[in-house]
Amino acid sequence: MKHISIKIAFLAVALLAGCDSNFEELNKNPNAYTEPVINSLFSSVALRAAGVSAPQHNNKEAGCFMQYYTSLNAVQWAGDKYLFSDNYNGRLWRVTYPETMKETVQLLHLLQDDPEMVNQYNIVRIMKVYIMHRVTDMYGDVPYFEAGLGYISGVYKPKYDRQSEIYADMLKELDEAAVALDPSKPSYGPADFVYDGDVVKWKRFAYSMMLRLGMRLTKVDAAMAETWVKKAIAGGVMQSNDDLARMIHEASPRSLVNWSADQIRGAEGVNPAAEGRGLLKMNKTFIDHLKETDDPRMPFLVTLWEGNVNVANLPESTEPERQKGLPGGYDNNSIRTIIPNWDSDMLREYSEPNIHTFLDLTSPDIFQSCAEVKLLLAEAALRGWTTGSSREYYEDAVRCSLGEQELFPNGMGRDAALVAANGYLAANPYLENGTFDEQMEQIHTQFWVTVFPNNLEVYANWRRTDYPKLIPTNYPGNETGGVIPRRLVYLVEEKTLNTENYEAAIAAQGPDLMLTSVWWDKE
């Protein structure tokens, strides 16, 4: 993939193209977009989908639900305690509809009738599914068919669609888009920050997303799930880390950094200036699991504060035996009930996410990994929906997961990753003779480790499978009575500005509560 600086230059030229002062251009139709503008719009959509403009707040909240992160602060990290925070609850929605979907729908409108831009059009269809499946998975029934039509059709109060209808359309869109992609025709080229215009890889991503969404349906409609999973596998899903979908980032300007990393490195997270006394720590649940399994990914994922202050300290500060997770669901007062004589300096003893590896400002955002795909294939094999060995897919997933580190700063190289993966698998062998439930638990506990920090996806997968087995917290005044939330509630402004459609959604889906399950999360 070409260096992103080339892409930045391309994007800058595209955005400045309209500044030409030649008077003969004044007679051109201002609504007739040229290819550079289309390319720049797509670049913007991809950047927003990666987290620019704050969807990462919901990723942080999901990270708390899944017991990766914890904090003694009940405001900035309300998800650790199942508290409602309008600021965190609504960020994904507030960015998706007025910004990302507006540009996505605009692109679809511009491209739909141009046969020479068939790849550009169908890549946007795939991106729309990626964008919208995260929203519906977090909230349930949401505006979908009328989303983003304010600029095109003047629809400013879109109706909410049933999640069952949304999923049917998303799967249909992936199917049609994958078939329509044509490697003989042009694509976005360097304006494509994900695959650099590689149409074959976009096709694999479409089928891999189909596998993800098809598996999402196993609880609500196993027959439909089987149909789409088999179609995805036949179409051709990711085979190696060369296929994974990722957004490349740069350390500057700020609009191009890894946004989740930027936020977690700030005042709300593990600001190195706090020297271990910051708000964010790694949860005891996650750290204990990594230590119990002697997971070689631990130094890549976590460190003590000295390592975050200075990368030169990482060899010592990432030593597995020194890591310690903070129990979740406590504040500065209640933590004293389980840790006597608590004071803030004791925070320095607890592990933090490593800001020099997966949270470096230049680290890629992975939309979907080969490791995730391999784990879903392991489940498909377990269900008899594909040929191949569930054990082999599982082991391939671990190797892919360790192999991803070469894409990140300060990660281990390919050869070292393979040695580490094989050692881990030898110490933690796949339960080939286990029951279906035992193998499902092993596959999806591995999913929990492997797909982190794509916490929105892990949260969705946990709700579908109920693995790993997590013990919830019960912080005073929480929204769920000490039960891990099953969804986010709708925005406060939706109740007042889109009242009729909001009320119709509640009538169809159920109470607007964090314990109301979404459609595919039904038993």
Side-chain angles (χ1 to χ4, degrees):
M1 188 174 286
K2 296 181 179 67
H3 195 275
I4 197 169
S5 294
I6 299 174
K7 299 174 181 177
I8 298 168
F10 177 90
L11 182 57
V13 170
L15 293 174
L16 292 172
C19 297
D20 195 317
S21 60
N22 293 332
F23 291 105
E24 63 269 21
E25 298 295 311
L26 294 177
N27 289 324
K28 288 191 175 182
N29 180 357
N31 295 317
Y33 284 80
T34 61
E35 184 177 344
V37 173
I38 287 171
N39 284 353
S40 67
L41 276 174
F42 178 73
S43 298
S44 175
V45 166
L47 282 166
R48 292 189 193 282
V52 172
S53 300
Q56 84 288 340
H57 281 75
N58 294 95
N59 201 50
K60 290 159 66 176
E61 190 165 33
C64 289
F65 294 165
M66 292 296 93
Q67 299 181 11
Y68 300 124
Y69 300 140
T70 188
S71 176
L72 300 180
N73 182 286
V75 178
Q76 280 85 0
W77 294 90
D80 175 60
K81 298 159 182 58
Y82 317 150
L83 301 173
F84 173 76
S85 167
D86 182 60
N87 180 40
Y88 281 74
N89 177 82
R91 288 297 185 95
L92 182 62
W93 185 296
R94 291 189 178 105
V95 169
T96 298
Y97 287 108
E99 298 178 11
T100 316
M101 277 302 292
K102 179 184 71 173
E103 294 176 349
T104 302
V105 171
Q106 186 178 4
L107 272 172
L108 292 172
H109 180 73
L110 294 168
L111 295 167
Q112 61 186 349
D113 297 323
D114 189 340
E116 292 305 310
M117 303 191 82
V118 62
N119 289 328
Q120 289 89 332
Y121 174 62
N122 284 289
I123 286 171
V124 176
R125 293 173 81 182
I126 296 167
M127 279 302 300
K128 180 186 175 184
V129 172
Y130 175 76
I131 292 162
M132 285 304 304
H133 93 278
R134 297 187 303 175
V135 180
T136 186
D137 285 347
M138 290 300 281
Y139 296 94
D141 295 356
V142 296
Y144 177 80
F145 293 104
E146 293 182 353
L149 290 177
Y151 180 80
I152 301 298
S153 305
V155 178
Y156 301 113
K157 295 183 179 181
K159 70 179 182 67
Y160 288 57
D161 298 293
R162 300 304 306 269
Q163 190 177 63
S164 57
E165 297 171 356
I166 294 171
Y167 258 75
D169 190 74
M170 290 192 300
L171 288 162
K172 182 267 297 181
E173 286 290 286
L174 290 173
D175 189 21
E176 292 180 358
V179 171
L181 289 172
D182 186 350
S184 70
K185 292 188 175 181
S187 182
Y188 289 104
D192 173 5
F193 295 1
V194 182
Y195 284 127
D196 211 33
D198 191 323
V199 173
V200 173
K201 290 185 178 181
W202 274 105
K203 185 184 289 281
R204 289 179 190 149
F205 182 34
Y207 284 120
S208 298
M209 283 288 295
M210 186 186 294
L211 175 64
R212 174 190 281 182
L213 300 189
M215 275 298 186
R216 197 83 90 231
L217 308 180
T218 53
K219 282 204 311 189
V220 70
D221 192 333
M224 183 179 178
E226 181 179 0
T227 296
W228 285 105
V229 166
K230 288 181 174 179
K231 182 183 282 286
I233 295 169
V237 297
M238 296 176 188
Q239 298 299 310
S240 72
N241 284 342
D242 290 338
D243 297 328
L244 59 77
R246 57 171 172 156
M247 171 64 67
I248 304 296
H249 293 288
E250 288 233 328
S252 64
R254 191 163 181 261
S255 61
L256 293 175
V257 304
N258 182 308
W259 204 255
S260 293
D262 178 78
Q263 294 298 299
I264 289 182
R265 294 159 63 106
E268 294 183 6
V270 293
N271 185 349
E275 296 187 334
R277 302 181 188 88
L279 300 186
L280 178 62
K281 293 294 178 179
M282 298 301 295
N283 195 298
K284 184 177 188 297
T285 303
F286 191 51
I287 294 296
D288 285 355
H289 176 81
L290 295 178
K291 294 182 74 171
E292 288 165 5
T293 56
D294 196 18
D295 198 308
R297 288 165 286 200
M298 181 178 281
F300 178 77
L301 297 175
V302 303
T303 179
L304 295 176
W305 68 271
E306 295 94 339
N308 279 337
V309 169
N310 188 338
V311 67
N313 295 329
L314 283 182
E316 181 178 357
S317 66
T318 57
E319 291 176 356
E321 61 273 13
R322 297 186 63 198
Q323 306 310 311
K324 184 163 66 169
L326 186 69
Y330 295 91
D331 59 26
N332 283 299
N333 291 319
S334 60
I335 192 69
R336 301 173 189 276
T337 63
I338 60 168
I339 304 178
N341 304 314
W342 174 267
D343 66 71
S344 61
D345 280 343
M346 294 174 70
L347 278 172
R348 306 175 92 195
E349 303 171 13
Y350 293 89
S351 301
E352 301 177 343
N354 192 332
I355 68 171
H356 297 296
T357 54
F358 79 98
L359 288 177
D360 187 272
L361 293 178
T362 64
S363 64
D365 268 302
I366 297 180
F367 294 169
Q368 188 174 24
S369 68
C370 180
E372 177 198 328
V373 169
K374 295 291 186 180
L375 287 170
L376 294 178
L377 290 174
E379 179 182 344
L382 188 60
R383 293 179 179 274
W385 294 353
T386 188
T387 58
S389 162
S390 181
R391 174 185 61 79
E392 290 177 358
Y393 286 129
Y394 178 89
E395 291 178 349
D396 284 348
V398 173
R399 294 186 184 101
C400 285
S401 176
L402 269 295
E404 286 175 17
Q405 290 194 24
E406 68 173 339
L407 305 176
F408 293 79
N410 300 301
M412 69 176 70
R414 184 172 302 186
D415 292 343
L418 181 59
V419 171
N422 289 338
Y424 172 82
L425 290 167
N428 302 275
Y430 182 68
L431 301 174
E432 197 163 14
N433 296 320
T435 65
F436 177 86
D437 288 342
E438 288 172 339
Q439 291 179 71
M440 280 288 289
E441 180 175 7
Q442 186 174 19
I443 289 168
H444 292 288
T445 300
Q446 185 63 232
F447 192 106
W448 176 61
V449 177
T450 293
V451 182
F452 172 76
N454 186 353
N455 305 329
L456 294 180
E457 182 55 31
V458 175
Y459 178 47
N461 193 66
W462 174 82
R463 285 177 285 163
R464 176 180 75 87
T465 66
D466 292 319
Y467 296 121
K469 294 178 179 178
L470 300 175
I471 299 174
T473 64
N474 197 7
Y475 186 79
N478 72 82
E479 296 286 325
T480 64
V483 178
I484 298 174
R486 308 303 289 194
R487 65 182 284 270
L488 299 184
V489 301
Y490 295 124
L491 276 64
V492 172
E493 53 262 41
E494 281 292 296
K495 301 176 184 179
T496 56
L497 300 178
N498 196 11
T499 307
E500 183 178 348
N501 290 317
Y502 165 81
E503 291 178 349
I506 299 307
Q509 179 169 264
D512 190 15
L513 301 172
M514 296 173 84
L515 286 181
T516 297
S517 295
V518 302
W519 167 71
W520 52 253
D521 187 23
K522 297 294 191 295
E523 293 292 346

